Amino acid sequence: MFTPTPMHHVGISLLSEELTQASLLLARYGYFAPDPLWEEMEHLPENPQQPYVSCFASARTHLQKILDFLEHTPAAGQTIPEQAPTLEQLLELETWLDRIWQQCSSRAESARRHEEKLKDIHHLEGLLRSYQSLDLDLGMLRREYRFLNILTGTIPQENSTRLREAIAMIGYTLTEVSRYEGLLHVVIAGLKEKEHNLKTVLKAADFHLFMLPEEFSGHPGRIAQKLREQEQIILQEQRHLQLEIEASIQEYGQRLDQATQILLAASGLPQFGQSLRSRGGLAYISGWAPVQKIDALESTLKHGLQGPVIMEHHPPDAKEQRRAPSFIHHANWLQPFTVLVRNFGIPRYREIDPTWFFTISFIIMFGMMFGDLGHGAIIFLAPWLLPGKLRKVRSVLLAAGLSSMLFGALYGSIFGYEHLFPALWMPPLSNPVLMLKVAFFWGVGFIILASLLSIRNDLVENQLARAFFDSRGIAGLLLYLGILLGGWQWFEHGSVDAWNKLLLFLPLAAILGYKWKQQQSALGERLLVVAIEGFETFMNYISNTLSFLRVAAFGLNHVALSVAVFALADMLGSTGHWITIVLGNLFILILEGAIVTIQVLRLEYYEGFSRFFRGDGHEFRPMRLSANDLLNPKT
């Protein structure tokens, strides 16, 4: 519940010929995570699964491409074969899939060519619309003449008059063909002997030459008819191709479903990776399994394999603990909180899983900072009002809404109104100093608990020096208690007694000594680094504690915003008053609610997790049979 599930390191010895079946059994069982055998490679040099894995990868690639092209989804609920396919069976399946993919690839290429032809036709139809007003053979505008020069192109509309007048002076004419988005499509004609005088004029008028396509031969109407006929032919070919694809689905659909199941049964062996090695006819598999699943795992292998199986297992030793995966399981309603914890990291094996610590403190702090019975009710009802969009964070909203409602009842606030019912405790603005004191002591408790969790994590990892003398260990905790006691004496009596000074000095000296031993640099640099780290340790405890005053500050801010909304509303008439109340509450609910959430996460991550949660573990990822993983492999 508070730590990852206890794991055992498992070693499985078996006959190489039964590897494929063993991989299916382990993947079907779902509680075995392979562990790479880097150290044993010299003793076990062979990699027996390489031909099988290569064939599997090729078959899977072909299957993915075929299913994507045919837009076929394998039928759900089919039974995975009890026996894993042999290499020969896998080769036979890969050959068939390759042949089917060649057919699909040819059709895919035909479909691509059809799309390109249709795109070209639509482009030509768009160009032709600019010349449909001409009652002549458009091919005449493309020909080369001995004495006549004909140019087609575009110019800005505002330049047409000046260009017409300019080229008229050298014996050329300008004919407007069409207008589109500020441009004129024009035809310019004149004698070739004056061509050298034309270029400068056209450049000044921003004329852009446009060569008519080769397809534009004949009258525009006739060209349009030919393009429509070509389009109909291509559309007919597309329909015929679609019928062929549908026929392929009917012909191969059931076989493709079977191929999916066969590849699922074969998908276990590739998941071994470097955890599988062999020598001769014997193979060895290394991995991890939860302690409570060990007996069932051994029973599954011995009953499912015909040959002998030897399974050894032991708790991870000090060297293996860093490799041991963390298997963490929480109830469904905790999953959104788990995701927020995973954003920071995954706990090491045997490290405290902070999900419960995070969940409880998050809910309490959100309510303290956003206490309002009405706003909390809206947050609580939001997952039911918008079930689709908020389904993934439903439990977070429900818990945050309930906490906000609870503190709203304690504060006597509903939609900012504090006179509709008596507060169970007190309105925040009635005693801000008390609110700040509560936040301060909440922060003290939070930091002390985080320090205790840090000490515990160091102890279970046998890091005794760090647990006793680090700034986050026992010495750091004693220093923090000394700071708190010294601060209290200073405010109460104006001085700090000798015992408290000793409580400050001894832990700080232990921390500085530990830091000094860790440093391996030159003397001057060593002194500087240790002094800075000691000062940073001292100041961090003070700043981290004061950081929790924001819990009270946002609780007071929530009330102050409501007061501001009511002040604005009172300046308006009846209709404006209630519109301002509604919009103001929406503003508070959305904007301040988001800010409070961010501030709570900041306190959790930086004042809590950074103190005790290393988060550099790795997740328990067991072998499994998953159609989604098969057809959508992670890159």
Side-chain angles (χ1 to χ4, degrees):
M1 180 176 178
F2 297 111
T3 58
T5 301
M7 307 292 290
H8 271 197
H9 190 271
V10 178
I12 304 171
S13 301
L14 70 164
L15 299 177
S16 297
E17 63 189 39
E18 292 199 294
L19 278 174
T20 54
Q21 185 61 20
S23 68
L24 173 60
L25 294 173
L26 290 172
R28 193 191 297 273
Y29 186 64
Y31 288 99
F32 179 83
D35 182 43
L37 280 167
W38 303 114
E39 298 178 358
E40 288 81 359
M41 281 190 176
E42 294 183 2
H43 307 292
L44 301 168
E46 299 173 11
N47 190 356
Q49 79 268 39
Q50 188 56 47
Y52 195 94
V53 171
S54 299
C55 183
F56 169 83
S58 176
R60 179 173 66 177
T61 300
H62 286 140
L63 178 64
Q64 291 167 348
K65 292 179 177 179
I66 293 169
L67 295 177
D68 288 344
F69 175 73
L70 297 178
E71 296 182 352
H72 175 69
T73 302
Q78 293 196 14
T79 303
I80 299 174
E82 291 296 327
Q83 293 293 322
T86 63
L87 179 58
E88 292 73 20
Q89 293 171 328
L90 202 58
L91 284 169
E92 181 183 350
L93 177 62
E94 197 278 333
T95 301
W96 180 79
L97 289 171
D98 180 62
R99 178 169 59 83
I100 301 304
W101 170 240
Q102 295 303 322
Q103 297 177 14
C104 293
S105 179
S106 175
R107 289 168 182 166
E109 180 63 23
S110 298
R112 185 189 63 80
R113 289 197 300 268
H114 290 156
E115 289 296 330
E116 289 182 353
K117 288 180 180 179
L118 281 178
K119 185 178 179 179
D120 291 342
I121 288 173
H122 293 155
H123 178 65
L124 292 173
E125 288 175 339
L127 293 176
L128 185 62
R129 281 192 286 271
S130 301
Y131 295 90
Q132 278 185 331
S133 61
L134 295 179
D135 188 16
L136 53 81
D137 182 353
L138 295 184
M140 297 173 61
L141 303 180
R142 298 176 52 253
R143 295 174 192 161
E144 286 286 335
Y145 296 94
R146 184 175 181 183
F147 301 106
L148 187 63
N149 183 26
I150 300 177
L151 302 174
T152 57
T154 61
I155 60 171
Q157 291 183 12
E158 60 271 16
N159 295 344
S160 63
T161 302
R162 284 182 295 170
L163 180 60
R164 189 190 306 275
E165 295 172 353
I167 65 176
M169 297 175 65
I170 57 176
Y172 272 76
T173 63
L174 182 147
T175 303
E176 296 183 11
V177 179
S178 63
R179 301 186 178 210
Y180 180 71
E181 293 185 351
L183 293 178
L184 284 179
H185 288 263
V186 298
V187 177
I188 297 174
L191 295 176
K192 270 193 175 182
E193 60 185 21
K194 301 289 183 70
E195 183 179 5
H196 62 281
N197 296 324
L198 182 64
K199 292 182 179 180
T200 304
V201 177
L202 293 180
K203 185 176 181 181
D206 197 20
F207 173 81
H208 291 276
L209 181 67
F210 173 71
M211 299 298 295
L212 292 178
E214 295 181 1
E215 291 84 354
F216 284 14
S217 296
H219 191 275
R222 178 59 184 161
I223 296 172
Q225 183 180 353
K226 286 183 179 179
L227 291 175
R228 286 194 295 271
E229 291 173 354
Q230 292 176 13
E231 183 178 11
Q232 289 302 315
I233 291 173
I234 294 173
L235 290 175
Q236 182 64 31
E237 291 176 352
Q238 280 188 323
R239 286 191 288 270
H240 179 70
L241 181 62
Q242 185 60 38
L243 290 175
E244 289 183 353
I245 293 173
E246 293 175 358
S248 297
I249 296 174
Q250 291 293 326
E251 182 179 358
Y252 305 128
Q254 186 174 358
R255 180 76 186 274
L256 289 172
D257 291 349
Q258 293 173 354
T260 302
Q261 302 307 313
I262 292 173
L263 288 181
L264 268 177
S267 65
L269 197 64
Q271 295 180 53
F272 281 140
Q274 296 296 330
S275 69
L276 166 62
R277 308 298 291 181
S278 69
R279 178 187 287 272
L282 296 178
Y284 183 79
I285 304 168
S286 171
W288 298 94
V291 172
Q292 66 270 29
K293 302 292 183 180
I294 293 291
D295 292 339
L297 175 62
E298 186 172 9
S299 175
T300 297
L301 290 174
K302 289 185 175 180
H303 286 87
L305 300 178
Q306 296 180 355
V309 178
I310 299 175
M311 195 175 97
E312 304 169 326
H313 60 91
H314 62 268
D317 55 31
K319 187 178 179 181
E320 292 174 330
Q321 280 192 16
R322 290 303 304 272
R323 292 189 357 235
S326 297
F327 180 31
I328 302 168
H329 179 71
H330 292 295
N332 289 334
W333 72 271
L334 268 179
Q335 292 308 313
F337 295 99
T338 303
V339 172
L340 293 173
V341 172
R342 296 289 176 86
N343 286 338
F344 192 91
I346 296 173
R348 293 181 183 179
Y349 180 70
R350 298 188 70 188
E351 183 180 15
I352 288 288
D353 173 22
T355 301
W356 277 101
F357 174 85
F358 173 88
T359 301
I360 295 171
S361 57
F362 178 94
I363 293 170
I364 293 174
M365 283 194 288
F366 185 89
M368 292 172 67
M369 298 165 74
F370 201 73
D372 187 284
L373 195 58
H375 296 155
I378 292 177
I379 296 173
F380 179 82
L381 293 174
W384 311 108
L385 299 176
L386 300 169
K389 297 180 179 180
L390 301 177
R391 178 172 52 85
K392 292 183 178 180
V393 293
R394 175 181 296 172
S395 57
V396 175
L397 293 175
L398 293 176
L402 284 173
S403 179
S404 182
M405 292 167 65
L406 173 62
F407 279 91
L410 293 173
Y411 297 159
S413 174
I414 179 169
F415 293 115
Y417 291 100
E418 294 187 344
H419 59 273
L420 297 182
F421 65 93
L424 298 180
W425 182 38
M426 69 169 192
L429 284 181
S430 66
N431 195 341
V433 174
L434 180 57
M435 288 288 293
L436 292 170
K437 287 181 179 179
V438 171
F440 176 82
F441 285 110
W442 166 265
V444 169
F446 190 96
I447 292 174
I448 289 175
L449 179 57
S451 299
L452 291 173
L453 293 177
S454 177
I455 294 168
R456 181 266 174 201
N457 288 337
D458 288 335
L459 290 175
V460 297
E461 291 185 1
N462 204 29
Q463 300 288 336
L464 300 182
R466 187 166 62 188
F468 280 95
F469 304 116
D470 189 58
S471 57
R472 294 174 183 173
I474 294 175
L477 181 57
L478 291 175
L479 175 63
Y480 183 51
L481 295 176
I483 293 172
L484 294 173
L485 183 58
W488 175 78
Q489 287 185 351
W490 180 268
F491 282 109
E492 289 291 326
H493 307 293
S495 63
V496 180
D497 61 32
W499 286 105
N500 190 248
K501 290 178 182 178
L502 192 63
L503 184 59
L504 285 169
F505 174 77
L506 291 178
L508 184 58
I511 293 170
L512 294 177
Y514 178 71
K515 299 290 185 185
W516 179 271
K517 187 177 180 180
Q518 284 186 315
Q519 292 296 319
Q520 302 297 326
S521 52
L523 179 61
E525 182 181 349
R526 203 172 189 182
L527 284 170
L528 181 62
V529 170
V530 169
I532 291 174
E533 290 190 358
F535 178 76
E536 183 184 19
T537 298
F538 190 87
M539 294 305 299
N540 273 348
Y541 274 116
I542 297 175
S543 62
N544 291 163
T545 304
L546 295 178
S547 183
F548 280 90
L549 295 181
R550 73 187 65 212
V551 175
F554 275 93
L556 296 168
N557 179 65
H558 187 78
V559 180
L561 282 176
S562 298
V563 172
V565 169
F566 291 136
L568 288 174
D570 290 340
M571 298 178 186
L572 304 173
S574 177
T575 303
H577 175 90
W578 290 109
I579 291 176
T580 304
I581 293 295
V582 172
L583 294 179
N585 274 278
L586 284 175
F587 174 82
I588 293 172
L589 183 64
I590 296 172
L591 183 62
E592 195 198 358
I595 294 174
V596 165
T597 301
I598 293 170
Q599 292 299 322
V600 173
L601 289 175
R602 184 204 174 281
L603 290 171
E604 294 284 358
Y605 290 158
Y606 294 104
E607 319 302 345
F609 285 4
S610 63
R611 191 165 292 279
F612 74 91
F613 183 37
R614 296 179 179 87
D616 57 356
H618 55 279
E619 188 177 3
F620 178 67
R621 297 182 180 276
M623 298 171 62
R624 62 178 185 171
L625 303 179
S626 168
N628 185 60
D629 292 345
L630 175 70
L631 303 178
N632 302 287
K634 295 180 181 179
T635 56

